Amino acid sequence: MLEQGTISIHTENIFPIIKKSLYSDHQIFLRELVSNAVDAIQKLNMVSRAGEFAGEIGEPEIQLAIDKDKKTLSITDNGIGMTAEEVKKYINQVAFSSAEEFIHKYEGKSDQPIIGHFGLGFYSSFMVAQNVEIDTLSYQEGAQAVHWTCDGSPAFTLEESPRTTRGTTITLTLQGEEEEFLESARIKNLVKTYCDFMPVPIKLDGEVLNRQKAPWRESTNNLSKEDYLEFYRYLYPFQEEPLLWVHLNTDYPFIINGILYFPKMRPDVDVTKGQIKLFCNQVFVSDNCEEIVPQFLMPMRGVIDSTDIPLNVSRSALQGDRTVRKIGDYIAKKVGDRLKELYRDNREQYISAWKDLSTFVKFGVLNDEKFKKQIQDIIVFRTTAKLGETAETPAVEVQSAESDLWQDVAANASSLPYTTLKEYLERNKERHENRVFYSTDETTQSTYIELHKNQGLEVLFMDSFIDTHFINFLEREYSDVKFTRVDSDLDNTLLEQDKTGEIVDPTTNKTKSEVIKELFEKSLNKPKLNIRTEALKSDDPQGTPPAMVLLPEIMRRLREMNAMMQQQNADFPEDHILLVNTAHPLIQNLANLNQGSIIQDDAQTSTNPLVNMICQHVYDLALMTQKGFDAEGMKSFVERSNEVLTKLTEQASK
């Protein structure tokens, strides 16, 4: 026997701490031991290239073996091996003394669990094993193989071994409650989870369990479009193809490799939870990078691999780490560069992806000043303009087979009506300089949109959930530009300005517009309702709305802000505007119908109730574009609709 003694540590109870407290998940031990085996193989390659080893390296491999009868699991590598002195140094002294310091530093912290730790992971064996053995032979010429044993107490034995093959075997005699690791399926699953991209074949019963090739460590020149897509399908099976991807690769001022994908966004995706996998030297660490990737890029998927991300710290410490912050900035910049490249080289594909990209791009602009400056000029909006006629259509770029852009776009993509804000302002500067008309809901605001389109006014669609905040941002950035929602007020361009032809009735000394206004005021009896009478400009008055409800921009925004602060839905205010379109045939007929009832001797003729109901009906139809009815309001609307139709059919049948 070469030596028998106790491990040089100062705390007798360090092993119970290792077994129960070091990691929240015991299965991590296999990752640690296999990582050390890979390190041993790579170290052998290094000494061989340095000319310090002239022997045959052979094919590198790691062998896993299970013996259910003996309740053992072993990990064997054909790497550099250890001498007796190295076992004493790296196992008895360094590993366990470092373990003691490491555990003392983090034991009892109220923060989240430790993410992981590499390089000194051997002691994780004792989380699952009641006895650990090391059988090893160094690459050094004339070295004596040694066998080390420890039963989970500070006592150990170190003796000569009959081993004749270079490398190391670690054998774990598993604790009773850890016998799940004697199942082949369990071990295969752990290798796939943690060790799939390690650059050395990992075998069990002759079967290679891992892929070995890590695409993110490859040069972009060596990867085709299909390589990127195949890797995405492997990481996220049964998902739609990604929109595009970003390949990360830098070794200064930090080392980071990775591939990040922009996925198709689905309504059920939680954008606050990341799905980017964190690796360290091709070893899987975590299923998310929430502390590393900027929050607005959380919807992205893929892999980040870095040796410069400290894994032996709590998550709160990770968030405050200077290098981690720089890595986050680097990732954001690379994403911005990729978007600008796509916008510049193939705008049609960029536009086709915008529906999925826009939310987290806008979120990034709102929350990251550097990212904002980088991509603010390539933010696009859907528009009512016919760009093929009013602006230069972007040229179609044909991608090469080696391109890493995403799938082809529909043939009609060149006509997609999207524009940047700067293009919009330039296009409309003569018609309405520094004025932007926008819509937040294409369906409910369709009447207002059509009114603007018919008079040649271009409308931008800002209809995603984030646009409420984004409009405020745009107003700060473009302080000289006025943003007006299509239903807040009507531009003078939409109104008939020539009122010289209005006839004053000599009996009442009022114009028809004034009579119509009084009629609606009396019929609706809403003191806070501001009724305006205007003639909407149109070649086809029948195609315009008979009335429109308008909510002034400032009033609406104050209401929405107040509702947001109180965390409740915004109630529709009583003091809004009803614009009655005096040019519409319905309103003109209504005025004539009312005039007929006034002439009658009896003030309560059969016509009067019908006039009142039609006024109410016109108002409700206009109100529908701004808010939905509650149950009682809908009941009243339906009943009144039936009553109006009944009275009209009665008159028509006389």
Side-chain angles (χ1 to χ4, degrees):
M1 180 177 292
L2 296 175
E3 187 173 345
Q4 183 174 3
T6 58
I7 296 168
S8 55
I9 57 176
H10 302 98
T11 306
E12 290 296 320
N13 67 349
I14 193 170
F15 281 98
I17 295 174
I18 290 174
K19 291 177 182 179
K20 296 181 180 179
S21 305
L22 183 56
Y23 294 103
S24 59
D25 194 344
H26 285 189
Q27 68 185 25
I28 217 78
F29 82 93
L30 188 64
R31 179 193 75 181
E32 300 293 308
L33 296 181
V34 174
S35 297
N36 288 346
V38 172
D39 287 345
I41 290 171
Q42 292 177 334
K43 286 176 181 177
L44 180 65
N45 290 330
M46 291 173 64
V47 298
S48 177
R49 288 195 297 270
E52 298 175 12
F53 176 63
E56 289 292 326
I57 294 179
E59 289 296 322
E61 66 175 21
I62 298 169
Q63 292 278 359
L64 307 180
I66 295 171
D67 189 325
K68 289 189 175 182
D69 293 333
K70 295 181 180 179
K71 298 182 179 180
T72 61
L73 169 66
S74 64
I75 299 94
T76 301
D77 68 71
N78 57 355
I80 198 168
M82 289 183 286
T83 63
E85 290 304 313
E86 288 171 332
V87 170
K88 294 176 187 178
K89 178 179 179 181
Y90 295 119
I91 301 300
N92 293 352
Q93 297 174 15
V94 176
F96 284 104
S97 61
S98 297
E100 180 183 26
E101 177 186 353
F102 183 69
I103 290 169
H104 278 316
K105 185 174 181 180
Y106 295 105
E107 184 187 13
K109 289 286 185 76
S110 60
D111 205 349
Q112 298 183 49
I114 297 161
I115 293 176
H117 187 69
F118 290 100
L120 298 174
F122 168 75
Y123 46 77
S124 65
S125 307
F126 292 96
M127 294 190 298
V128 297
Q130 59 182 329
N131 191 73
V132 178
E133 301 172 63
I134 301 175
D135 197 57
T136 182
L137 175 60
S138 172
Y139 77 100
Q140 297 178 26
E141 187 174 353
Q144 169 64 51
V146 295
H147 188 89
W148 179 94
T149 305
C150 180
D151 63 1
S153 69
F156 72 90
T157 61
L158 182 63
E159 54 191 355
E160 293 183 353
S161 164
R163 182 187 182 103
T164 58
T165 57
R166 184 197 68 244
T168 301
T169 298
I170 296 177
T171 302
L172 312 181
T173 303
L174 297 174
Q175 302 166 20
E177 64 269 24
E178 305 291 350
E179 292 182 10
E180 62 178 288
F181 300 113
L182 295 174
E183 299 296 329
S184 296
R186 183 78 169 105
I187 296 302
K188 289 179 180 179
N189 179 263
L190 291 180
V191 171
K192 179 178 174 62
T193 299
Y194 293 106
C195 313
D196 209 11
F197 299 101
M198 290 184 178
V200 177
I202 303 169
K203 299 180 179 180
L204 176 64
D205 299 329
E207 177 187 357
V208 177
L209 306 181
N210 60 325
R211 291 167 63 96
Q212 302 166 56
K213 179 183 176 182
W216 63 87
R217 301 296 288 268
E218 298 283 329
S219 165
T220 55
N221 296 328
N222 296 335
L223 295 173
S224 67
K225 171 182 176 179
E226 186 56 32
D227 289 329
Y228 285 106
L229 292 175
E230 191 277 332
F231 183 50
Y232 183 83
R233 295 176 196 130
Y234 175 75
L235 293 175
Y236 309 101
F238 312 113
Q239 300 293 314
E240 292 185 79
E241 301 285 70
L243 299 170
L244 63 154
W245 45 85
V246 181
H247 199 131
L248 310 173
N249 185 1
T250 186
D251 55 10
Y252 182 82
F254 40 73
I255 298 173
I256 185 170
N257 294 278
I259 302 173
L260 298 181
Y261 295 86
F262 289 87
K264 285 269 191 178
M265 298 296 288
R266 302 194 316 272
D268 59 340
V269 172
D270 186 348
V271 296
T272 65
K273 293 184 178 179
Q275 296 190 53
I276 298 173
K277 300 177 185 296
L278 177 62
F279 284 71
C280 180
N281 268 339
Q282 298 171 232
V283 182
F284 175 74
V285 178
S286 174
D287 252 329
N288 63 71
C289 297
E290 294 176 10
E291 294 76 26
I292 301 163
V293 177
Q295 189 179 10
F296 70 91
L297 295 179
M298 280 293 104
M300 296 191 77
R301 296 175 179 173
V303 166
I304 290 176
D305 189 335
S306 176
T307 55
D308 285 327
I309 297 173
L311 301 174
N312 57 337
V313 298
S314 64
R315 287 202 162 100
S316 63
L318 191 64
Q319 289 174 323
D321 186 88
R322 181 177 297 178
T323 300
V324 171
R325 290 200 303 270
K326 289 181 178 178
I327 288 174
D329 290 342
Y330 166 78
I331 293 171
K333 184 181 184 304
K334 290 292 289 184
V335 169
D337 288 343
R338 186 70 176 91
L339 293 173
K340 288 174 68 177
E341 173 194 8
L342 185 59
Y343 181 85
R344 181 189 67 241
D345 297 341
N346 200 322
R347 182 166 172 176
E348 294 174 10
Q349 290 187 341
Y350 177 87
I351 286 172
S352 294
W354 184 250
K355 181 179 179 181
D356 295 282
L357 298 176
S358 62
T359 297
F360 56 90
V361 168
K362 290 176 182 177
F363 187 63
V365 169
L366 292 173
N367 291 275
D368 189 310
E369 183 68 20
K370 292 179 182 177
F371 186 74
K372 181 202 79 174
K373 290 180 179 178
Q374 190 179 7
I375 62 95
Q376 60 185 352
D377 291 336
I378 63 170
I379 296 170
V380 294
F381 303 90
R382 197 158 53 90
T383 175
T384 58
K386 296 179 180 179
L387 296 183
E389 300 175 7
T390 60
E392 182 181 353
T393 302
V396 177
E397 298 288 342
V398 179
Q399 296 298 310
S400 65
E402 292 76 23
S403 172
D404 68 346
L405 292 176
W406 25 300
Q407 60 229 20
D408 295 334
V409 190
N412 65 348
S414 61
S415 63
L416 288 174
Y418 277 82
T419 184
T420 67
L421 187 56
K422 285 187 176 180
E423 290 169 341
Y424 174 96
L425 292 170
E426 177 65 25
R427 196 162 47 244
N428 294 287
K429 65 180 180 180
E430 294 184 3
R431 191 170 183 82
H432 49 82
E433 187 173 12
N434 290 340
R435 183 89 177 269
V436 174
F437 299 103
Y438 70 94
S439 166
T440 57
D441 191 318
E442 184 175 6
T443 301
T444 61
Q445 296 165 9
S446 59
T447 300
Y448 305 88
I449 295 169
E450 283 301 313
L451 197 63
H452 285 71
K453 286 173 58 180
N454 290 340
Q455 295 304 316
L457 297 181
E458 182 179 353
V459 177
L460 298 183
F461 293 97
M462 301 182 184
D463 48 7
S464 70
F465 72 90
I466 198 173
D467 280 334
T468 299
H469 307 285
F470 200 69
I471 291 167
N472 295 331
F473 159 79
L474 290 175
E475 288 182 321
R476 292 193 301 271
E477 294 294 307
Y478 296 84
S479 57
D480 57 337
V481 176
K482 182 179 180 181
F483 290 78
T484 305
R485 205 168 87 174
V486 289
D487 59 348
S488 65
D489 204 349
L490 298 184
D491 187 75
N492 289 336
T493 311
L494 306 175
L495 304 175
E496 194 63 65
Q497 300 299 313
D498 185 10
K499 298 184 180 181
T500 57
E502 279 203 280
I503 300 173
V504 177
D505 186 340
T507 59
T508 61
N509 203 31
K510 296 176 182 177
T511 65
K512 179 170 282 190
S513 294
E514 291 171 334
V515 171
I516 291 172
K517 180 177 180 179
E518 286 186 3
L519 173 60
F520 272 86
E521 286 175 343
K522 290 178 181 178
S523 297
L524 299 178
N525 191 26
K526 292 180 178 294
K528 293 186 177 182
L529 179 63
N530 180 10
I531 297 175
R532 285 171 48 192
T533 51
E534 299 279 0
L536 296 180
K537 191 183 294 184
S538 175
D539 294 333
D540 178 22
Q542 182 65 49
T544 60
M548 307 173 76
V549 168
L550 304 175
L551 196 58
E553 190 86 6
I554 295 177
M555 180 189 300
R556 175 178 54 77
R557 293 197 190 187
L558 287 173
R559 176 176 61 98
E560 291 173 349
M561 185 182 302
N562 185 57
M564 184 174 64
M565 292 175 63
Q566 297 182 13
Q567 297 185 339
Q568 61 186 27
N569 293 328
D571 294 327
F572 194 78
E574 292 183 355
D575 46 349
H576 52 272
I577 299 169
L578 176 66
L579 187 145
V580 181
N581 178 13
T582 57
H584 196 282
L586 171 59
I587 302 302
Q588 294 181 351
N589 292 341
L590 185 63
N592 293 334
L593 189 63
N594 182 66
Q595 183 68 24
S597 67
I598 292 173
I599 295 173
Q600 299 294 327
D601 295 333
D602 184 1
Q604 293 298 323
T605 63
S606 59
T607 311
N608 234 351
L610 178 60
V611 170
N612 291 335
M613 280 191 290
I614 292 176
C615 287
Q616 183 67 54
H617 209 64
V618 168
Y619 172 62
D620 280 352
L621 288 171
L623 200 59
M624 278 183 175
T625 63
Q626 288 281 8
K627 74 180 191 72
F629 289 137
D630 56 19
E632 186 60 35
M634 180 56 70
K635 179 175 178 291
S636 299
F637 177 76
V638 172
E639 289 176 350
R640 190 187 318 106
S641 299
N642 293 331
E643 194 171 354
V644 168
L645 291 173
T646 301
K647 288 187 176 296
L648 290 175
T649 53
E650 282 178 357
Q651 289 194 6
S653 62
K654 289 181 180 179

